[in-house]
């Protein structure tokens, strides 16, 4: 039964699960290979919106001064082969927009966490929440010490018969992220509930043409409050993610602080 149909919700170790939990290792002979291709759905023009303020323009300049400015390159990043055993499902970990806008069919959803990672708005977005002229910021996973709180999100089980199609969709959706990784996911008791889930992250590697990197909360908030792209305002991305985290009882101090500051900036501009 797919998520678009009626699903049964149960509780498992304090974690919400839709349908039955099926965690399995996904390492076996390769079933498919991802390669760099031109995205046929690239949108080259964004929605008109409020232009960047002088402070925001200076943020873009300083964030990209040491490398070329982010661009909507329209290429799907070169990937290593994804290895799935015949008949095995595909598990996908969402920690950003996938949590509130899944965009693909699945039969099981588990709330879980990636240990040793934290959520940060380091990736520039020129294809969804910004433009090449003024990139927005979207989240990636940053490696951190495991004594830090884990990054909570949701894992989605894609049936074997849909795995190829969903992977192809994700390769386009996450085309500006330079790495697809596999990781184990944990419940609130510290037990592994999903093994080898797939997720996409951005790094500061030279291959990543859209990396913005670390910046102060104020700088990140100014960018998010200003940027607009083909998928809509960057602020919408942040606010929807913050609401989704609250909806699953997750407290993310960094996300909460950014939400508060972005709302303040937006309210201040509305009163001008």
């Amino acid at each position: 039964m797919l998520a678009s149909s009626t699903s049964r919700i149960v509780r498992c170790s304090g974690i919400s699960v839709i349908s039955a939990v099926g965690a399995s290792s996904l390492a076996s002979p390769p079933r498919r290979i991802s390669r760099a291709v031109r995205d046929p759905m690239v949108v080259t023009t964004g929605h008109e919106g409020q232009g960047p303020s002088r402070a925001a323009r200076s943020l873009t300049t300083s964030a990209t001064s040491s490398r070329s400015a982010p661009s909507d390159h329209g290429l799907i990043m070169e990937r290593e082969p994804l290895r799935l055993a015949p008949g095995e499902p595909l598990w996908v970990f969402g920690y950003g927009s996938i949590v509130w806008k899944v965009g693909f069919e699945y039969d099981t959803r588990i709330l879980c966490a990636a240990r040793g990672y934290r959520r940060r708005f380091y990736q520039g977005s020129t294809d969804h929440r910004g433009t090449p002229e003024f990139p927005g910021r979207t989240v990636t996973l940053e490696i951190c010490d495991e004594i830090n709180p884990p990054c909570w999100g949701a894992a989605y089980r894609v049936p074997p018969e849909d795995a190829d199609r969903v992977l192809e969709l994700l390769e386009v959706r996450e085309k500006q992220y330079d790495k697809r990784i596999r990781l184990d996911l944990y419940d609130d008791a510290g037990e592994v509930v999903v093994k080898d889930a797939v997720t996409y992250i951005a790094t500061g590697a030279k291959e990543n043409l859209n990396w913005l990197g670390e910046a102060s909360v104020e700088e990140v908030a100014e960018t998010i409050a200003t940027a607009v792209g083909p998928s809509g305002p960057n602020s919408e991305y942040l606010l929807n993610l913050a609401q989704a985290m609250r909806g699953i009882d997750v407290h993310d101090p960094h996300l909460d602080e950014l939400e508060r500051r972005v709302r303040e900036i937006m309210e201040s501009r509305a009163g001008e």
Side-chain angles (χ1 to χ4, degrees):
M1 181 181 299
L2 298 179
S4 55
S5 305
T6 302
S7 301
R8 182 170 59 91
I9 302 178
V10 299
R11 301 288 296 183
C12 178
S13 187
I15 306 300
S16 295
V17 181
I18 300 177
S19 186
V21 176
S24 59
S25 176
L26 307 182
S28 273
R31 281 177 51 196
R32 63 189 66 82
I33 298 176
S34 304
R35 56 183 65 85
V37 297
R38 178 68 58 178
D39 175 7
M41 299 301 291
V42 165
V43 179
T44 57
T45 59
H47 295 173
E48 292 186 357
Q50 180 181 3
S53 65
R54 179 179 302 175
R57 288 196 298 270
S58 68
L59 296 179
T60 304
T61 301
S62 62
T64 61
S65 59
S66 62
R67 57 193 298 158
S68 60
S71 61
D72 189 5
H73 47 77
L75 293 177
I76 298 173
M77 290 289 186
E78 189 78 26
R79 314 281 188 196
E80 291 295 322
L82 178 64
R83 302 178 184 277
L84 289 177
E88 289 285 355
L90 171 70
W91 281 95
V92 179
F93 179 58
Y95 59 92
S97 63
I98 285 178
V99 179
W100 55 270
K101 189 177 183 180
V102 182
F104 56 84
E105 292 182 325
Y106 59 95
D107 60 12
T108 304
R109 178 178 186 256
I110 304 175
L111 305 183
C112 50
R115 301 178 67 176
Y117 292 95
R118 59 189 175 193
R119 188 176 7 244
R120 289 295 184 268
F121 284 78
Y122 289 170
Q123 176 71 343
S125 176
T126 61
D127 62 337
H128 288 300
R129 298 294 174 172
T131 64
E133 293 73 27
F134 193 83
R137 280 182 176 265
T138 53
V139 290
T140 185
L141 294 180
E142 181 184 46
I143 295 175
C144 63
D145 196 302
E146 287 201 11
I147 64 172
N148 290 284
C151 177
W152 283 88
Y156 303 85
R157 182 187 182 276
V158 179
E161 61 270 21
D162 296 323
D164 285 333
R165 180 176 54 79
V166 169
L167 180 64
E168 183 178 357
L169 180 154
L170 290 171
E171 290 289 304
V172 174
R173 177 172 175 169
E174 310 295 340
K175 66 183 175 66
Q176 293 189 342
Y177 282 63
D178 57 306
K179 283 191 176 182
R180 183 188 65 221
I181 64 172
R182 313 291 292 279
L183 72 174
D184 293 344
L185 301 169
Y186 297 80
D187 63 14
D188 54 359
E191 300 294 327
V192 175
V193 291
V194 176
K195 292 186 67 66
D196 293 333
V198 168
T199 198
Y200 294 80
I201 66 171
T203 74
K206 64 180 181 180
E207 292 82 9
N208 183 0
L209 304 180
N210 291 76
W211 181 252
L212 290 179
E214 186 175 0
S216 69
V217 169
E218 187 64 27
E219 291 172 335
V220 173
E222 177 74 25
T223 296
I224 292 175
T226 304
V228 179
S231 295
N234 201 177
S235 58
E236 179 184 61
Y237 173 97
L238 166 69
L239 299 179
N240 283 344
L241 178 56
Q243 182 178 358
M245 289 298 103
R246 284 192 294 273
I248 58 176
D249 296 325
V250 170
H251 174 58
D252 184 327
H254 179 69
L255 188 60
D256 293 344
E257 185 178 12
L258 271 176
E259 180 191 24
R260 178 189 61 78
R261 187 63 191 115
V262 166
R263 287 189 184 278
E264 289 176 350
I265 294 171
M266 294 171 63
E267 289 171 2
S268 174
R269 290 178 182 175
E272 292 177 354

